[in-house]
Amino acid sequence: MPPSSLRVVYAFAREMHPKTTDVFIQYGTAGFRTKASLLEHVVYRMGLLAVLRSRVKNGRTIGIMITASHNLEPDNGVKLIDPDGEMLEQSWEEIATRLANVSDNDLESTTGEIIKQVNADMSLKASVFIGMDTRYTSPRLAAAAVHGVMALKGTAKEFGIVTTPMLHFCVKCRNDNTYGTPSEEGYYEKIVGAFKNICQKLPVVGKYNTTLYVDGANGVGGKKLNIIKKTLDGELDLVLYNLGGNGGKLNLNCGADFVKVSQKPPVGVEHVPFQRVASLDGDGDRLVYYYLDDKNDMHLLDGDRIAILLASYITELLKACGASVSVGLVQTAYANGASTRYITDDLKIPVTCVKTGVKHLHHAALSYDIGIYFEANGHGTVVYSGHAKDSIRRVADEGDTEQRKSAQLLLNFIDVTNETVGDAISDLFLVETVLRARGISIQDWEKQYTDLPCRQLKVTVQDRNAISTADAERQCTAPEGLQTKINELVSRYPSGRSFVRPSGTEDVVRVYAEADTQESADKLAAEVAQAVFDLAGGVGKRPELPE
């Protein structure tokens, strides 16, 4: 593209999407995420960057998703999706951050520098898919993304309101037509269609109940399940709550993140004792389950539980069909210690621990033929290598009767899976498949192992970069003395464990603790939070110990 065209880009940006704030914003695990009012110029520039990324990838389609996921409604965000439906390549995160923060006066020269740096062939066609969540600010930001794509002569296709995993799926399908059809309807055809195929093979038996309550977090996932519900032919009776009506606010006191962190049931859901409930987050990429017992106590089944349920069923089917493939499970430091022990000691499946962030888990999962990864917050999926799929297909074609039956079931299970990214809707159907296949209730599922009590807190600090970690974030290397203090505190509690890590999006340090009792876990978390406040530049009120 000639310099004169870049000058047009610069002039258009200054006129239509000017940078009106000096607030520095950084591309992290979740892309850019902050108050929606600060994002318009950033999203425009991500339109520019998506075009460059597409050209570097020889014209393959790139995705732009406008969402702040589980954050409350005043926030918004933007993240780029790479051609295989994965997160943006990590080396480009610094480029994205640089482009987002330069002044309007420097936008022209910085864009030119990036073109040279990444060796983008500006004569190639460029394709960008754009989706958004249900926030009232999303249409305006999506329009800014379109303007950015058009400014560098890329082709933008808008998908409107979709879940984040749906856009990942569509990007993958556009670049690999063997994966599926790149549309919302194509998503339903593959994932929901495969679930219905499974249901026809698995009669309802035992304690399994086809009724499932769902907390839609007043976001897009619930709206899409409302569409899917009509096509399930009674195989799964979805009772949907928090669909965005009656004044319900996105993610406010509801949704997967609220349920996981507060360990409280969401508002807006009618509860029946022992009835299982699935809770999605605002953009449909996280899922947790829970139920209330007859004493109104809450029982949470989080991402750890989902991972173990899926892993145990996959290994069961593999054993039945005789396919020889490697299976591994990937967790973060947030995984409950009891879950890790169960995976290694009972399931005999290797576990890899990585830094927080789906991009880290996804990458590690690819080292196995079948890699299962979930964060405890309910964000995760299963990835299958070509070797794994070929081996299972071979058994489905050539095995004996029972082997073929198990292999075909596993192939359907693979088709229910959105392998590109954690997907609450896909994961919900995977969980329901296993519960149905085994004829078990949510209480039976919970009895697999007993979680250690845990607590999560956050401490506001002056600068989150003052905290550094190592060993998949399980050890704090800065500031000096903090890890020594954590070790001292942990040593006082049976089964004690705690770690701290800086947020990727705000000046907050997240604290995790677990111990043999809830009282001990709560106290340990508070004591570690005080240590963070004292040694890492805490701001505001010092954390208090529980009474």
Side-chain angles (χ1 to χ4, degrees), residues 230-282:
K230 302 178 179 72
T231 71
L232 291 176
D233 304 329
E235 297 289 4
L236 183 62
D237 179 20
L238 299 175
V239 183
L240 305 175
Y241 298 94
N242 292 333
L243 298 184
N246 302 318
K249 296 290 188 182
L250 180 69
N251 295 320
L252 182 62
N253 298 323
C254 62
D257 190 62
F258 170 81
V259 172
K260 170 62 179 172
V261 174
S262 71
Q263 299 185 39
K264 297 177 182 177
V267 300
V269 176
E270 295 178 19
H271 289 104
V272 175
F274 304 108
Q275 170 62 51
R276 73 184 183 282
V277 186
S279 191
L280 286 59
D281 72 335

Side-chain angles (χ1 to χ4, degrees), residues 318-319 321-327 369 387-388 391-392 394-395:
L318 284 172
K319 184 176 180 180
C321 73
S324 180
V325 297
S326 66
V327 179
D369 287 329
H387 168 70
S391 299
I392 297 163
R394 195 176 305 115
V395 175

Side-chain angles (χ1 to χ4, degrees), residues 226-495:
N226 205 22
I227 296 171
I228 293 169
K229 176 181 177 179
K230 302 178 179 72
T231 71
L232 291 176
D233 304 329
E235 297 289 4
L236 183 62
D237 179 20
L238 299 175
V239 183
L240 305 175
Y241 298 94
N242 292 333
L243 298 184
N246 302 318
K249 296 290 188 182
L250 180 69
N251 295 320
L252 182 62
N253 298 323
C254 62
D257 190 62
F258 170 81
V259 172
K260 170 62 179 172
V261 174
S262 71
Q263 299 185 39
K264 297 177 182 177
V267 300
V269 176
E270 295 178 19
H271 289 104
V272 175
F274 304 108
Q275 170 62 51
R276 73 184 183 282
V277 186
S279 191
L280 286 59
D281 72 335
D283 70 330
D285 64 5
R286 293 185 181 187
L287 175 75
V288 297
Y289 274 70
Y290 73 91
Y291 72 92
L292 301 185
D293 63 23
D294 51 2
K295 297 178 182 177
N296 218 36
D297 291 332
M298 181 175 161
H299 299 251
L300 175 67
L301 293 94
D302 60 9
D304 297 341
R305 297 269 184 185
I306 294 172
I308 288 172
L309 185 75
L310 302 188
S312 62
Y313 186 61
I314 288 168
T315 53
E316 181 182 304
L317 288 179
L318 284 172
K319 184 176 180 180
C321 73
S324 180
V325 297
S326 66
V327 179
L329 205 145
V330 185
Q331 295 183 319
T332 72
Y334 283 109
N336 194 279
S339 75
T340 308
R341 282 196 292 273
Y342 182 83
I343 296 163
T344 53
D345 296 347
D346 293 75
L347 297 183
K348 310 296 184 185
I349 295 175
V351 177
T352 302
C353 185
V354 298
K355 289 173 60 176
T356 303
V358 174
K359 62 188 177 187
H360 303 300
L361 287 99
H362 190 95
H363 179 75
L366 294 174
S367 65
Y368 298 103
D369 287 329
I370 299 178
I372 302 112
Y373 71 85
F374 273 82
E375 293 185 295
N377 61 30
H379 197 166
T381 189
V382 186
V383 292
Y384 300 85
S385 69
H387 168 70
K389 292 176 182 177
D390 290 343
S391 299
I392 297 163
R393 287 194 195 101
R394 195 176 305 115
V395 175
D397 292 336
E398 302 171 3
D400 62 33
T401 301
E402 288 303 311
Q403 287 177 327
R404 289 201 304 271
K405 183 178 176 181
S406 296
Q408 191 56 58
L409 200 54
L410 188 48
L411 288 175
N412 288 145
F413 197 78
I414 292 171
D415 280 341
V416 175
T417 310
N418 185 347
E419 296 182 66
T420 64
V421 74
D423 181 342
I425 292 175
S426 164
D427 291 341
L428 180 150
F429 287 129
L430 292 175
V431 168
E432 293 302 314
T433 293
V434 182
L435 298 181
R436 180 176 178 132
R438 291 179 168 170
I440 62 175
S441 66
I442 191 167
Q443 298 98 293
D444 295 328
W445 174 16
E446 184 186 30
K447 289 174 185 174
Q448 278 187 306
Y449 65 90
T450 301
D451 271 326
L452 287 167
C454 62
R455 177 63 64 200
Q456 293 184 48
L457 299 174
K458 58 182 181 180
V459 182
T460 302
V461 294
Q462 190 170 354
D463 179 9
R464 68 179 184 271
N465 294 314
I467 293 277
S468 298
T469 63
D471 188 24
E473 301 176 315
R474 290 176 289 191
Q475 293 290 312
C476 181
T477 55
E480 187 178 353
L482 181 53
Q483 186 60 51
T484 300
K485 182 63 176 177
I486 293 172
N487 293 344
E488 177 193 331
L489 294 169
V490 165
S491 68
R492 301 175 187 173
Y493 296 91
S495 301

Side-chain angles (χ1 to χ4, degrees), residues 96-112:
T97 299
R98 177 155 47 109
L99 188 62
N101 288 285
V102 297
S103 68
D104 287 335
N105 290 335
D106 292 332
L107 180 58
E108 178 183 4
S109 60
T110 301
T111 304

